[in-house]
Amino acid sequence: MEALIPVINKLQDVFNTVGADIIQLPQIAVVGTQSSGKSSVLESLVGKDLLPRGTGIVTRRPLILQLVHVDPEDRRKTCEENDPNAWKNGRLYKGVDGEEWGKFLHTKHKIYTNFDEIRQEIENETERISGNNKGISDEPIQLKIFSPHVVNLTLVDLPGITKVPVGDQPKDIELQIRELILKYISNPNCIILAVTAANTDMATSEALKVAREVDPDGRRTLAVVTKLDLMDAGTDAMDVLMGRVIPVKLGLIGVVNRSQLDINNKKNVADSIRDEHAFLQKKYPSLAARNGTKYLARTLNRLLMHHIRDCLPELKTRINVLAAQYQSLLSSYGEPVEDMSSTLLQLITKFATEYCNTIEGTAKYIETTELCGGARICYIFHETFGRTLESVDSLGGLTTIDVLTAIRNATGPRPALFVPEVSFELLVKRQVKRLEEPSLRCVELVHEEMQRIIQHCSNYSTQELLRFPKLHDAIVEVVTSLLRKRLPVTNEMVHNLVAIELAYINTKHPDFADACGLMNNNIEEQRRNRMRELPSAVPRDKMAGGAQGEQEGGTGTWRGMLKKGEEGQGEDKMKAQSPQKGHAVNLLDVRVPVARKLSAREQRDCEVIERLIKSYFLIVRKNIQDSVPKAVMQFLVNHVKDSLQSELVGQLYKPALLEDLLTESEDMAQRRNEAADMLKALQKASQVIAEIRETHLW
Ligand code: GDP
Ligand code: MG
């Protein structure tokens, strides 16, 4: 079996680093009748005296014997695993040639370096469960043998097939044992060693019979003929060994194990093999080369090797897939830094470009789950800000009483004949001022989004940046402070936009003409009414109708109105000319209560003022809705976009900072190394597999 060691070792090495499962070698089970020599065959394959053998029923529980290959180096590790202080204290293995040792599952951590003890423990453990009177049990004993001279292989020693119950054995002993055997050998990954003693009838071999049940094609059954030395005088196994009696696909191999006498005399494995060789040469010279324990081992080697080679293609695929994965992982980590200053410049530029691209919408990484970057700024302008402005009511926060009071305050001590212009200005300014807050809020929102883009860029776009946490933080810091610096400037501008609107109420604005026409008309009407000196008020419906009708056709403007009253002081003239209607006079005399029924005149005046305010407010709101986004773009977005690169370079591209900024996170350096090691291991694995595929062991 040792021929496989280098191959398996190579694979093992590879797999240890790669972390994949090592190829599962088939397990090898021996079947046959009682005392046919099963345990002896297994033992000679292992090359160690460790199994109880003897006449009668000796093997009464399955023995799962796992051979574990160890490097002398690993051995130390295994010792420490078992007893952390053992090695340090020199308690174990010191001075013992024990580079091989055994461990039972049922004795936990106990280490056996003496193989006689192992055999004794198997016997004890067999008795413990199966009793001392030939009883059997299907509960396996599990034994691991650690050695540098074995391959990782599982051998299963099974109780022999028996027909007649003896001792404590139950009546259906034959059935029970058969089932026990079948349980192990029906595993398709099990090579069956069907053991038959040469001094029994091969044609009726129970071993081959049971093997055929699970392996009818004989693809994993190897026949072993034991006790060649015990054949009756005058007979030989020629016909059997030539496969003439019963053909076995994988072959028939005759062996000579140690007799009971040899066992009693403690004949060792090596002597036994030498004697076996001599025996075969003498008795079967023509067949000697194809029989014997050594040949059996070689044949098993070949079977195992076949198995390994069958597994290789799939393994190779798996390794190639892994290699590809690690390759891409590794490249995502970037190369170790060689030229620091160019790397820094590159990273800064890349970040700045990504940042601008995210704003422009030309970023490589397109977010699909939510709006981001420029698109979100657009949304803020037109949806968030636009809608908020639209929801600002032109007369919000202004009651009729407020309007009336403003009108009265504007006229001072004189009773007013016409609606005073000053009151309109005062009131409209107050309303326009209300646009400032949502405008400033718009700046804030865009600022927040610009801040968010920083995260976006470092998360998705410039992966490499994550390698250098310090640089990342520094970039974030620079951009953040650049944004912060622009905030007051932009706010100031937006504040000014509103202030500009407040500074001068342009009643000559073309869009304002209609509203003025309306007012003008209203005044005309009033005057006409007064001229006619009608005692009663103009019917309200007529008034309203007129107002509506004039909306378009009105010739007058605000200007016009002023002109008309310009012969003297407009108001004065009116006042002098027209005797006031009763209720209008009353209005000025009576203190204005908080809530009361308004007179027709008051109603009219308020309506006029309110309409004017509304009309003018809409003009200003439109202006603000249009100009605030422009200001934000100019003073915040575009400014940052344009100066980002130079700002970053100016602040970060300094020789003194290089080393510090480009310190990789420990994590990253380690991860890169790991990935690189893994990749190397995988490449080596691939190579090893290729070599093994070309190896010819025979
Ligand atoms: P098992 O019951 O099938 O496991 O058989 P064992 O391995 O315990 O062997 C039964 C007995 O046959 C033991 O006393 C062995 O020494 C003896 N024996 C096994 N193989 C041979 C052989 O090839 N030649 C001789 N002379 N004795 C053998
Ligand atoms: Mg046995």
Side-chain angles (χ1 to χ4, degrees):
M1 217 73 41
E2 298 203 4
L4 274 183
I5 294 177
V7 172
I8 296 280
N9 276 359
K10 261 191 195 171
L11 281 174
Q12 185 96 57
D13 278 354
V14 163
F15 287 98
N16 278 346
T17 37
V18 170
D21 295 332
I22 179 82
I23 293 173
Q24 188 87 58
L25 281 183
Q27 91 186 8
I28 297 174
V30 282
V31 298
T33 48
Q34 204 174 294
S35 289
S36 56
K38 301 180 295 299
S39 301
S40 303
V41 167
L42 269 193
E43 204 179 46
S44 58
L45 282 174
V46 177
K48 282 274 154 197
D49 293 303
L50 62 108
L51 298 179
R53 291 145 302 161
T55 47
I57 178 156
V58 178
T59 311
R60 295 185 284 138
R61 282 177 70 180
L63 176 79
I64 300 179
L65 175 62
Q66 269 177 278
L67 305 180
V68 183
H69 178 79
V70 282
D71 276 346
E73 240 323 282
D74 291 344
R75 186 177 149 246
R76 179 187 161 155
K77 273 188 239 153
T78 316
C79 292
E80 283 175 344
E81 237 168 64
N82 294 320
D83 173 2
N85 296 317
W87 191 265
K88 209 164 47 194
N89 301 344
R91 254 193 273 130
L92 278 173
Y93 315 122
K94 217 173 169 187
V96 186
D97 92 286
E99 53 177 358
E100 296 175 298
W101 70 98
K103 253 170 83 180
F104 287 98
L105 182 70
H106 66 270
T107 56
K108 303 261 162 53
H109 295 314
K110 181 158 182 199
I111 302 257
Y112 294 82
T113 48
N114 181 341
F115 282 73
D116 289 336
E117 261 179 58
I118 292 180
R119 191 170 49 245
Q120 190 58 50
E121 181 55 38
I122 296 174
E123 281 169 12
N124 295 348
E125 181 58 16
T126 301
E127 284 204 1
R128 195 172 71 79
I129 298 290
S130 323
N132 55 10
N133 196 11
K134 305 190 171 82
I136 64 148
S137 159
D138 61 358
E139 199 184 310
I141 297 173
Q142 300 201 34
L143 170 63
K144 281 188 183 182
I145 301 290
F146 299 82
S147 162
H149 309 302
V150 297
V151 288
N152 293 325
L153 193 63
T154 302
L155 306 167
V156 184
D157 192 13
L158 291 166
I161 302 166
T162 179
K163 299 267 177 194
V164 186
V166 290
D168 289 343
Q169 292 173 351
K171 288 228 158 50
D172 61 346
I173 181 78
E174 185 186 357
L175 196 71
Q176 279 194 21
I177 292 181
R178 259 177 53 89
E179 274 175 4
L180 174 59
I181 291 171
L182 287 174
K183 195 168 104 191
Y184 286 91
I185 64 172
S186 52
N187 174 359
N189 198 26
C190 175
I191 293 178
I192 305 166
L193 292 186
V195 179
T196 314
N199 53 3
T200 59
D201 186 3
M202 188 69 189
T204 59
S205 163
E206 289 291 332
L208 286 170
K209 228 157 81 188
V210 74
R212 201 153 292 164
E213 275 180 46
V214 292
D215 178 32
D217 299 338
R219 276 190 289 182
R220 53 189 179 91
T221 305
L222 191 61
V224 182
V225 182
T226 56
K227 305 194 184 180
L228 289 179
D229 58 321
L230 292 186
M231 294 192 73
D232 284 344
T235 61
D236 66 32
M238 259 335 232
D239 282 352
V240 170
L241 296 178
M242 296 290 282
R244 287 189 210 123
V245 176
I246 194 162
V248 179
K249 215 178 201 166
L250 296 183
L252 274 147
I253 297 169
V255 296
V256 179
N257 295 316
R258 284 167 292 180
S259 66
Q260 191 57 47
L261 185 67
D262 294 334
I263 294 169
N264 298 346
N265 293 340
K266 299 207 177 345
K267 181 175 175 181
N268 68 28
V269 180
D271 287 348
S272 158
I273 286 182
R274 203 190 50 230
D275 292 350
E276 181 193 37
H277 182 70
F279 174 86
L280 288 173
Q281 285 294 348
K282 190 170 141 229
K283 201 97 207 282
Y284 303 95
S286 61
L287 298 178
R290 284 194 283 122
N291 287 282
T293 303
K294 276 206 155 152
Y295 185 74
L296 174 62
R298 269 216 306 282
T299 307
L300 274 177
N301 262 349
R302 201 179 67 210
L303 291 180
L304 297 175
M305 198 60 198
H306 273 305
H307 176 82
I308 292 172
R309 304 223 307 187
D310 287 347
C311 294
L312 289 181
E314 199 214 311
L315 202 65
K316 192 164 170 67
T317 315
R318 224 166 65 202
I319 283 179
N320 287 346
V321 169
L322 270 176
Q325 282 170 357
Y326 274 91
Q327 182 66 67
S328 70
L329 188 68
L330 191 63
S331 40
S332 82
Y333 293 157
E335 295 291 313
V337 182
E338 271 164 24
D339 182 350
M340 284 207 163
S341 75
S342 84
T343 304
L344 181 70
L345 202 57
Q346 225 176 316
L347 286 170
I348 287 177
T349 308
K350 200 158 177 191
F351 180 90
T353 313
E354 266 318 310
Y355 193 91
C356 296
N357 286 348
T358 307
I359 292 174
E360 290 297 329
T362 49
K364 262 181 267 152
Y365 182 90
I366 295 285
E367 176 80 71
T368 51
T369 50
E370 54 168 359
L371 284 182
C372 75
R376 200 176 163 83
I377 292 174
C378 174
Y379 183 89
I380 292 169
F381 286 159
H382 299 290
E383 299 294 320
T384 317
F385 176 61
R387 288 233 185 98
T388 311
L389 277 198
E390 271 156 30
S391 73
V392 178
D393 183 15
S394 54
L395 297 171
L398 206 60
T399 64
T400 314
I401 297 298
D402 292 340
V403 176
L404 268 184
T405 311
I407 294 174
R408 290 180 61 195
N409 283 338
T411 55
R414 300 166 301 274
L417 283 178
F418 300 105
V419 186
E421 195 187 343
V422 191
S423 63
F424 160 73
E425 243 191 72
L426 276 177
L427 290 169
V428 90
K429 277 185 183 173
R430 178 173 145 170
Q431 295 310 94
V432 167
K433 189 103 183 77
R434 296 170 65 230
L435 295 174
E436 182 169 344
E437 198 227 280
S439 302
L440 291 174
R441 176 81 189 124
C442 173
V443 178
E444 200 181 312
L445 286 177
V446 174
H447 179 262
E448 273 169 20
E449 179 54 26
M450 301 279 283
Q451 191 74 43
R452 259 167 47 113
I453 297 175
I454 304 177
Q455 274 317 312
H456 178 87
C457 285
S458 49
N459 283 350
Y460 298 109
S461 318
T462 38
Q463 272 276 339
E464 301 112 280
L465 208 49
L466 298 180
R467 278 169 64 191
F468 308 107
K470 285 189 177 170
L471 178 60
H472 175 261
D473 292 352
I475 288 181
V476 171
E477 179 57 37
V478 170
V479 186
T480 305
S481 80
L482 177 62
L483 283 171
R484 209 183 300 127
K485 248 188 341 209
R486 295 310 297 170
L487 196 56
V489 186
T490 315
N491 276 337
E492 173 73 14
M493 183 62 204
V494 167
H495 168 82
N496 277 337
L497 284 176
V498 179
I500 286 167
E501 294 294 348
L502 293 172
Y504 182 63
I505 303 299
N506 179 15
T507 50
K508 225 191 147 187
H509 193 287
D511 296 344
F512 195 52
D514 296 346
C516 288
L518 171 91
M519 175 154 177
N520 230 3
N521 221 54
N522 186 10
I523 290 165
E524 283 289 317
E525 192 110 15
Q526 280 183 38
R527 191 159 61 177
R528 247 179 279 132
N529 289 341
R530 273 190 293 273
M531 301 280 229
R532 276 181 237 146
E533 291 189 307
L534 286 174
S536 62
V538 183
R540 220 169 278 174
D541 52 346
K542 190 189 167 194
M543 185 49 219
Q548 269 158 17
E550 289 302 331
Q551 202 95 25
E552 302 236 334
T555 49
T557 58
W558 182 268
R559 187 67 164 164
M561 180 206 90
L562 286 179
K563 262 191 179 161
K564 267 167 198 152
E566 217 155 304
E567 285 133 72
Q569 271 280 309
E571 278 167 39
D572 286 359
K573 197 184 167 204
M574 298 290 177
K575 201 172 119 196
Q577 261 184 354
S578 49
Q580 293 287 312
K581 280 167 282 175
H583 57 257
V585 176
N586 285 346
L587 168 70
L588 296 173
D589 295 339
V590 178
R591 275 183 54 197
V592 184
V594 180
R596 65 180 166 88
K597 201 161 166 24
L598 300 185
S599 69
R601 157 103 199 250
E602 283 171 337
Q603 192 99 41
R604 234 173 19 241
D605 287 353
C606 277
E607 264 169 34
V608 169
I609 286 289
E610 282 173 3
R611 277 180 204 210
L612 288 174
I613 290 175
K614 198 166 177 179
S615 173
Y616 194 81
F617 180 83
L618 290 184
I619 293 170
V620 175
R621 192 172 75 183
K622 214 160 145 191
N623 286 348
I624 295 290
Q625 199 168 347
D626 180 53
S627 58
V628 166
K630 289 174 178 169
V632 173
M633 284 307 285
Q634 168 67 8
F635 289 86
L636 182 63
V637 182
N638 290 345
H639 189 281
V640 168
K641 222 173 70 184
D642 295 343
S643 56
L644 183 62
Q645 164 94 6
S646 57
E647 189 82 10
L648 283 170
V649 171
Q651 296 208 28
L652 303 179
Y653 190 59
K654 294 174 185 161
L657 292 179
L658 271 182
E659 193 86 25
D660 188 45
L661 288 177
L662 289 182
T663 318
E664 269 191 287
S665 68
E666 250 169 56
D667 192 33
M668 178 57 72
Q670 195 190 331
R671 266 191 283 169
R672 185 191 307 102
N673 286 341
E674 278 170 11
D677 287 350
M678 189 64 163
L679 196 59
K680 233 184 271 166
L682 285 164
Q683 280 156 355
K684 178 147 175 266
S686 197
Q687 199 184 324
V688 167
I689 288 173
E691 278 170 20
I692 292 175
R693 288 172 90 171
E694 286 155 17
T695 308
H696 295 280
L697 264 180
W698 45 90

